[in-house]
Amino acid sequence: MNIAEKMLKYSPDMFCCINKQGCFVKVSEASKKILGYEPHQMEGKSYTTFLLPEHKEISLAAEATIVKGNPLSAFENSYFAKDGRVIPLRWTAEWNDEEQLIFCSARDATELVKARQQLDESVQRYKALFENNPDVVFLEDNTGLVTDVNQAFCNTFGLDKTDVIGKPASAFLSSEMAGVNLMSFNEALAGSTLRFDIIHQSATHESLTFDAIKFPVIAYEQIIGVQTIAKDITAIVRSFDTITRQSQKLNTIFESITDAFIMLDVNWKIAIINSTAEKILCLDREKHIGTDFREIYPPADFGEFYDQYNYAITTGRSVHFETPYKEMDLWLEVKAFPSKEGLSIYFDDVTEKVRARQELERLSLVASKTDNGVIITDAQGTTEWVNEGFTRMMGYTLDELKGKKPGQVLQGFETDQDTVQVISKKLQLGLPFNAKLLNYTKAGDKKWVSIDITPIRNESGKISQFVALQRDITFRMKAFEKHKQMTQDLYRQNRDLQQFTYIVSHNLRAPVANALGLISMLTKSQKDTDLFDYAFANLKKSVVQMDTVLHDVNRILSIRDKQDVIDTEMVELPAVFNQAYSILQGEILSCGGTVKVEMDKCQKVNTNRSYLYSIFYNLLSNAIKFRSEERKLLIKVKCFKNQDGSTVISFSDNGKGFDTAKAGNDVFKLYKRFHTDATTKGRGIGLFLVKTHVEVMGGKIEVRSHINQGTEFMICIPQTP
Amino acid sequence: MKTYSIDDDHISNFLTEKVLEEAEFSTEIQSFLSAEDALNFIKQDYEANVPDIIFLDLNMPMMNGWDFLDALAPYKDNLLGKCHVYILTSSLDTSDTARSKDYDLVSGFIHKPLTLEDVQVILAEIEDKA
């Protein structure tokens, strides 16, 4: 084999020559490698025998061209191999006139076709991805001019491809964003992939936010341009904004809670810590959120907390308790509210308050063995603590009073409401003060107490508590009441004594003086003279007058003496009135008078019958005595019940009346008269007796009168005399 | 000497009149059963009706002796030295005696009944002043 033959033998390409008839004349050995045929199996056969039928036409056309003297290169068709596979071949061919043959070389193009198909597919795929990408995509060449944009781009920016291709990004971006884009572009051009945000104002003036990725497009190790994929994240940004705002709001709320606040999730993990909680509980938000609460506060050391928390969680009820926090030397007031999300816990540092209370309690203990009662209330007046002395005095224990205002529990029916008002006003002033008040024990007994109330102020000067020291002054008040009663009795006795002195010096002395004068006259006069007879008759009259006065005095004294022991019974008012009326009926009728009685509203009164009789008798008798001559006497008697159960009797006439202003306090005085007429025979004892009787029954009497119009008496008799 | 006796007790007036008659104290004696009547009478004709002597009771209804004196107070300057008021009362109350000292018009305080001796003293006093 010469060298030329060897070259043919080892070449991977198949060399062959084809005659004008289209038959292989000579085929190189490579036929075996490429098609599986030995050269002799192909030689002498038409090349169309091996051709894929669909390639026959193009192959014949190519042959015709070659034969005309035009060399052909890179022509492709496919042959059937011996085993039936289709083998793509790539041909180079040229006509040789001398030999009258086509000299060809064929190469196995399987790999080439495959590669070309793959390339084709990937181009298609890329195209599809590019066009149909829901994100905005645009391509810039390495000079920064847009070379392509996708459909999403056109939709978003409201532009056609033709509007932007060949133009810089500033054609569709705001100048600011174009600047950002340019910077990113330059970096991408330098080989980096980077992310940035594009903010675009839409045609509807909506602010759209895009998350853009810019990366270089590399071909043949050269950066040929930059592709940008921008994802519309407006909705995400908005919801993120909303979430940020809400969490800020929530945070503000938590921070605005002056109490320390933490929230635990259902797994005891700390979800929220506000800044007060960081301070009081020595927590760190960065470090402790998400941590198991039980790790920070081991249940072994914080038993009470967990007892309460577990109670809250299992029952679903909130808990409220006060407990020492030894680690920090604090007292905490804890409120825990369970919910589906976990447990919200508020801590309030009440160390100062508790210390103050403990201090007060210690101080009060000193006094607890005494009879003084101590109440400690908070600034609002709600009881926090009472000592034993208080319980001994009033019967109420701390548990019964705690959380209540002392006044609500202790005050009762007879407690003076004016004093209560004064106390609440003084409490507001915030100064120490004393008050004396009637309170009621748990058993319902009345207790007079002297209360010293002192406000306790905290460091900032604000009132934190009130301390009330109560002393039982019932004994003193009773003594005082007794004293007052005695004083009143003495005063009355003294007044009576003065009145009797007056009676003696005037009313008794007057007839005595007359008698003396008459006796002296009688001794000088002759018997059987007119003067003697006159003097004698008047002497008798004077002595009778003396006797009357003595009787009056005796009668008055007997009433006064019985003051404390009057017998009362249920008395029928109309019956007693009629009794008195029947005695005076004759006089009333003879002067043409009438009596109108309206007493059906209060038939019965618990009082003394004879006094009531005396009252009616004297009033009737006065009405007759002091009747007006100008009109016929009319007496009206009415009675009604007051709301407090007392009975009021109104007794009025249309008589002469008197000048109330002039008479003043003398109306009811003994031997005071207000009429000078010779026709009237007033002795000045009637109204005195009426008043005395009314007062002995515990009642009151008032009078109104107008001269020549009439007089009205109002008598009030209390329910129980 | 014009003399008035003012007393609501007619026995007392009667006794006063009789004693004055006996002492030949006055020929012109007039009794009033109420102070108001006496006051009105004096006021009717001031010149003619003002007496030289008034015997005045204290304890009377409506207008008592003190009220009467208070009612005369405006005329005090004209009455002083002309009209002598003697309180004639049954009262033994010392406070009444003390009170009478406050009235310039009151020349004396006599406990009832009026006696001849009392009248002698009054006459002597009036003569002294005159």
Side-chain angles (χ1 to χ4, degrees), chain A residues 62-218:
Chain A
E63 189 201 332
T65 325
I66 296 161
V67 171
K68 279 178 193 161
N70 302 314
L72 185 78
S73 64
F75 173 74
E76 283 173 34
N77 63 6
S78 297
Y79 278 37
F80 285 110
K82 194 180 177 188
D83 55 9
R85 285 181 300 138
V86 174
I87 307 293
L89 295 172
R90 190 179 170 90
W91 296 89
T92 310
E94 199 170 340
W95 172 255
N96 186 283
D97 239 6
E98 191 186 341
E99 299 287 340
Q100 287 288 303
L101 285 173
I102 303 167
F103 282 84
C104 326
S105 93
R107 178 176 284 187
D108 185 344
T110 309
E111 292 303 317
L112 187 74
V113 168
K114 210 188 262 174
R116 205 163 52 209
Q117 274 176 350
Q118 276 174 353
L119 182 70
D120 217 41
E121 273 172 33
S122 73
V123 166
Q124 286 306 319
R125 209 180 291 133
Y126 169 76
K127 259 302 195 212
L129 273 174
F130 181 80
E131 277 304 327
N132 302 326
N133 200 324
D135 297 338
V136 168
V137 185
F138 61 94
L139 270 163
E140 292 154 291
D141 66 15
N142 49 17
T143 65
L145 299 177
V146 173
T147 52
D148 203 358
V149 298
N150 72 347
Q151 194 54 45
F153 178 97
C154 298
N155 297 342
T156 304
F157 290 95
L159 296 165
D160 268 346
K161 277 191 184 194
T162 50
D163 295 335
V164 284
I165 285 172
K167 291 181 181 151
S170 58
F172 56 90
L173 289 177
S174 69
S175 60
E176 194 190 335
M177 284 324 298
V180 174
N181 185 65
L182 185 63
M183 260 167 55
S184 313
F185 171 81
N186 287 334
E187 286 193 41
L189 217 52
S192 317
T193 297
L194 40 106
R195 276 179 98 139
F196 64 103
D197 282 354
I198 294 173
I199 294 162
H200 173 67
Q201 230 32 59
S202 80
T204 53
H205 299 289
E206 220 181 326
S207 182
L208 302 174
T209 305
F210 296 89
D211 176 18
I213 298 174
K214 223 173 182 68
F215 52 88
V217 180
I218 300 166

Side-chain angles (χ1 to χ4, degrees), chain A residues 282-329:
Chain A
C282 281
L283 291 172
D284 182 351
R285 257 182 271 200
E286 304 288 318
K287 204 169 121 191
H288 290 118
I289 282 181
T291 314
D292 192 317
F293 189 71
R294 293 167 296 192
E295 279 173 29
I296 311 170
Y297 304 102
D301 300 339
F302 293 88
E304 197 193 344
F305 286 90
Y306 287 95
D307 288 348
Q308 297 275 2
Y309 295 159
N310 284 322
Y311 174 82
I313 291 165
T314 49
T315 60
R317 287 189 198 145
S318 62
V319 290
H320 183 187
F321 59 98
E322 219 171 64
T323 183
Y325 177 28
K326 290 173 204 116
E327 281 65 21
M328 296 292 293
D329 196 22

Side-chain angles (χ1 to χ4, degrees), chain A residues 501-502 505-507 509-510 513-514 516-518 521 524 531 534-535 538 541-542 545 662 671-676, chain B residues 8-12 14-15 18-19 22 34 36 58-62 64 89-93 96 111-113 116:
Chain A
T501 310
Y502 192 86
S505 71
H506 289 100
N507 303 86
R509 172 76 179 116
N514 283 348
L516 286 171
L518 290 165
M521 188 183 282
K524 292 172 195 165
L531 188 67
Y534 178 82
N538 279 314
K541 222 173 170 181
S542 296
Q545 204 182 334
K662 212 170 168 186
Y671 298 133
K672 286 284 176 187
R673 288 161 297 154
F674 301 91
H675 302 277
T676 49
Chain B
D8 64 320
D9 183 348
H10 63 94
I11 298 175
S12 185
F14 170 75
L15 285 169
K18 288 295 162 206
V19 170
E22 194 186 349
S34 95
E36 259 172 333
L58 289 178
N59 186 28
M60 290 179 286
M62 299 308 286
N64 64 23
T89 176
S90 58
S91 173
L92 299 173
D93 198 336
D96 286 336
H111 294 291
K112 283 183 187 173
L116 280 172

Side-chain angles (χ1 to χ4, degrees), chain A residues 208-255:
Chain A
L208 302 174
T209 305
F210 296 89
D211 176 18
I213 298 174
K214 223 173 182 68
F215 52 88
V217 180
I218 300 166
Y220 312 111
E221 296 175 356
Q222 285 280 313
I223 293 171
I224 55 156
V226 170
Q227 178 158 295
T228 307
I229 302 174
K231 195 178 179 67
D232 184 352
I233 53 161
T234 310
I236 297 167
V237 168
R238 274 196 204 134
S239 57
F240 183 73
D241 276 355
T242 312
I243 290 164
T244 311
R245 266 200 310 277
Q246 280 174 346
S247 86
Q248 272 169 352
K249 204 193 267 173
L250 212 58
N251 207 42
T252 315
I253 293 169
F254 291 140
E255 289 304 317

Side-chain angles (χ1 to χ4, degrees), chain A residues 20 63 66 71 133 227 358 396 463 484 615 638 643:
Chain A
K20 269 193 170 171
E63 189 201 332
I66 296 161
N133 200 324
Q227 178 158 295
Q358 284 174 336
Y396 292 102
I463 291 174
K484 207 166 122 189
I615 291 165
K638 288 182 203 169
Q643 277 184 333

